[in-house]
Amino acid sequence: MKPIEYRCGVRAALRVGGRGTATLINSHGTPSAALAASWLRGQVMWCAGQLGDDASSRQLQAWLRDDTAQWALFAALMAGENTRVQVCRGATTVELHAGRGS
């Protein structure tokens, strides 16, 4: 039996310190839904920190503080569903996802 793997990724166009736009692409594989959820939350936290006092940062931070959203993330991963966190404010776009790999 092939072990379950959760694939996570982040793609972001971040406007940092008024210095244009940087594209970040990061991915990670893990055998656990809990680790996938933790990785995704860590990436959201990192992106929010890079954005500083930006509308997108505030939206990401609100998602992190939302207990219902956090339980929904974990439940979706446990059910084998893909889950996504996405914000798009002005020139800033952040899209993160996690789900079971095939």
Side-chain angles (χ1 to χ4, degrees), residues 41-101:
R41 285 192 300 268
Q43 295 298 303
V44 167
M45 199 176 313
W46 183 87
C47 288
Q50 294 300 305
L51 291 167
D53 187 32
D54 180 89
S56 294
S57 176
R58 289 189 294 276
Q59 186 175 353
L60 290 170
Q61 291 172 20
W63 179 84
L64 285 168
R65 290 188 304 270
D66 184 344
D67 290 338
T68 302
Q70 300 311 304
W71 281 109
L73 166 66
F74 185 69
L77 290 171
M78 288 297 295
E81 299 170 4
N82 290 333
T83 186
R84 178 184 316 244
V85 180
Q86 183 173 4
V87 296
C88 184
R89 295 282 187 255
T92 302
T93 302
V94 180
E95 180 180 325
L96 305 102
H97 68 274
R100 279 191 191 167

Side-chain angles (χ1 to χ4, degrees), residues 15-60:
R15 197 169 170 167
V16 180
R19 293 176 301 181
T21 302
T23 300
L24 166 73
I25 298 175
N26 196 2
S27 65
H28 183 69
T30 180
S32 161
L35 291 174
S38 178
W39 185 89
L40 192 65
R41 285 192 300 268
Q43 295 298 303
V44 167
M45 199 176 313
W46 183 87
C47 288
Q50 294 300 305
L51 291 167
D53 187 32
D54 180 89
S56 294
S57 176
R58 289 189 294 276
Q59 186 175 353
L60 290 170

